[in-house]
Amino acid sequence: MNEGPGFGVYVHWPFCAAKCPYCDFNSHVRHQPVDQARFADAFARELATMRQRTGQRAVSSIFLGGGTPSLMEPKTVGTILDRIAAEWTVAPDVEITLEANPSSVEAERFRGYREAGVNRVSLGVQALNDRDLRFLGRLHTADDALHAIRLARETFPRLSFDLIYARPGQTVEAWTAELEEAIGHAADHLSLYQLTIEEGTPFFSLHKAGKLPVPDADRAADLYEATQEVTAARGLPAYEISNHAKPGAESRHNLIYWRYGEYVGVGPGAHGRFIEGRRRVVTFTERVPEAWLKLAEAKGTGVCGGETLTREEEADEFLLMGLRLAEGIDLQRYEELSGRALAPERVTILREEGLVTPLGNSRLRATPAGMVVLDALVADLAR
Ligand code: SF4
């Protein structure tokens, strides 16, 4: 899994049927039907603008994320994918992922996505029991999730699904059993996230009021450890802090982020990072869907901000992303980006503390203990 980072296109569909109480993504609920043809036209305009900025590239991955992209009509997905292929060269083995919620899954729609070119689905399963699904504010039941998993397996060559753990009251035994069950459903990739309490969400207010007792740090660490053990024993080891795959089934799109490759981001609230004029630029777009739409229609893009990164900023981002991966970072590339090597004395101290470890002569990775304190580790290495 160690080929170059590649070039990706991220497309953000910002609408959801309901807002989950833990979610701080750019997702919006609308009570009137969304004019999908109008949005598809605006996506086409923003893609053309991005193509002008990036020049010709070979797209190795496309990711339709959200929000809930499975609320898009297959025709909308097809139009967007066709536009991407018209703007750039698309690699013959391109990975095209669509995020789907089990509550918005229908066989016909799935077939339509497959015909449009989607070859990988990422299902937001989150839990495999109804009580926890209700707690998480999800609109689907465990049976809906199993139905969606079956349908996705029949329709798409590749399947991933997400689960959230460290829920209130969750024991290591209960989580282990749920995880074993999930792996039994034969996904080739699992994203396993600890429940985090994000500011501005209903869960944040509940937690602040003492009404949401999430596991303490020790319990959360035990749950994390159990996650690593079960997935490794079942052939889906962690290749990134929260992502597990059978060898060869890693998400190529997310690897672009973590290996510090280039990607454009289109749609409301999307971010991009690509080389323009020999420097890496960051772009971000207007978050409110209707405001983004108007900007894209008037100006050809909803980009409302961005910056050109300094070498130091690039090198810091490269560390932060790359040390999330089991494969770690390429030290030579760090040197090329930052213009200097990592300070050997710092690396030695962190090695002695058991937080990093070399991989051969050319790579450095975070140990499991280092992964738990990654932000501090990066801050220490980058000084
Ligand atoms: S479905 Fe996903 S994006 Fe939408 S509100 Fe729930 S967690 Fe957020």
Side-chain angles (χ1 to χ4, degrees):
M1 81 178 214
N2 208 7
E3 70 280 3
F7 182 85
V9 178
Y10 175 78
V11 178
H12 192 81
W13 185 255
F15 302 109
C16 288
K19 185 85 181 171
C20 304
Y22 56 87
C23 175
D24 72 339
F25 298 146
N26 188 36
S27 64
H28 304 260
V29 178
R30 296 289 178 262
H31 300 290
Q32 299 293 326
V34 170
D35 185 344
Q36 296 206 9
R38 195 173 158 197
F39 268 88
D41 281 347
F43 277 110
R45 301 201 58 178
E46 189 158 65
L47 285 164
T49 302
M50 287 298 174
R51 164 63 175 85
Q52 279 174 11
R53 295 187 63 174
T54 64
Q56 182 55 276
R57 299 294 172 93
V59 175
S60 52
S61 169
I62 300 167
F63 195 102
L64 298 131
T68 305
S70 54
L71 293 175
M72 274 193 268
E73 298 296 334
K75 189 168 169 242
T76 311
V77 172
T79 304
I80 293 170
L81 295 180
D82 287 350
R83 286 316 308 164
I84 293 171
E87 299 295 352
W88 292 277
T89 303
V90 172
D93 64 343
V94 64
E95 174 187 276
I96 305 180
T97 304
L98 178 130
E99 284 183 339
N101 268 343
S103 51
S104 60
V105 159
E106 304 153 26
E108 209 178 309
R109 207 180 262 249
F110 262 20
R111 271 196 299 274
Y113 296 144
R114 181 72 191 106
E115 278 159 22
V118 173
N119 54 26
R120 182 173 181 273
V121 152
S122 173
L123 277 176
V125 169
Q126 315 310 4
L128 287 173
N129 71 74
D130 289 345
R131 195 197 51 167
D132 285 357
L133 284 169
R134 273 195 301 277
F135 160 74
L136 291 168
R138 305 294 297 189
L139 296 178
H140 63 273
T141 62
D143 276 351
D144 293 338
L146 298 183
H147 169 71
I149 290 168
R150 268 195 303 277
L151 206 57
R153 275 211 330 250
E154 284 164 19
T155 315
F156 300 96
R158 295 174 62 197
L159 164 69
S160 173
F161 56 85
D162 297 2
L163 294 174
I164 294 176
Y165 68 100
R167 306 171 208 141
Q170 192 174 37
T171 62
V172 169
E173 293 69 33
W175 169 233
T176 302
E178 192 172 342
L179 191 50
E180 293 275 7
E181 185 189 345
I183 294 170
H185 291 300
D188 58 14
H189 185 284
L190 291 173
S191 298
L192 306 171
Y193 300 108
Q194 290 207 17
L195 178 64
T196 50
I197 307 295
E198 305 292 346
E199 207 165 339
T201 63
F203 271 11
F204 185 82
S205 313
L206 278 176
H207 187 248
K208 215 169 148 198
K211 293 180 183 159
L212 190 69
V214 289
D216 62 19
D218 283 349
R219 168 70 63 81
D222 290 346
L223 288 163
Y224 177 77
E225 211 173 294
T227 305
Q228 309 311 308
E229 278 168 17
V230 172
T231 50
R234 297 288 300 268
L236 284 92
Y239 67 98
E240 189 265 352
I241 295 179
S242 307
N243 285 275
H244 303 254
K246 290 185 181 158
E250 298 85 3
S251 160
R252 270 186 252 158
H253 193 83
N254 286 339
L255 281 175
I256 291 175
Y257 301 153
W258 297 320
R259 288 178 175 163
Y260 212 46
E262 294 176 75
Y263 58 97
V264 294
V266 296
H271 290 222
R273 269 175 173 69
F274 51 87
I275 306 295
E276 186 179 43
R278 308 185 66 180
R279 298 296 323 155
R280 186 176 294 252
V281 295
V282 177
T283 61
F284 47 90
T285 58
E286 164 60 46
R287 288 170 65 86
V288 177
E290 293 74 14
W292 170 84
L293 186 66
K294 283 190 185 139
L295 278 174
E297 287 175 343
K299 296 172 35 182
T301 177
V303 168
C304 63
E307 58 179 322
T308 302
L309 297 180
T310 63
R311 289 183 81 164
E312 208 160 290
E313 286 168 335
E314 271 194 276
D316 287 354
E317 285 194 344
F318 170 73
L319 274 186
L320 194 58
M321 291 286 130
L323 286 174
R324 301 172 66 99
L325 289 170
E327 69 180 21
I329 56 155
D330 178 346
L331 294 166
Q332 170 84 32
R333 187 151 173 238
Y334 177 81
E335 232 174 293
E336 285 161 13
L337 285 170
S338 73
R340 62 182 167 85
L342 287 173
E345 62 282 6
R346 282 198 192 289
V347 176
T348 304
I349 293 170
L350 292 167
R351 273 182 74 175
E352 283 167 7
E353 289 174 350
L355 298 176
V356 295
T357 186
L359 280 176
N361 289 330
S362 60
R363 304 188 74 85
L364 184 76
R365 59 165 293 190
T367 62
M371 291 270 187
V372 176
V373 292
L374 197 58
D375 286 352
L377 179 64
V378 169
D380 211 352
L381 270 177
R383 272 194 284 160

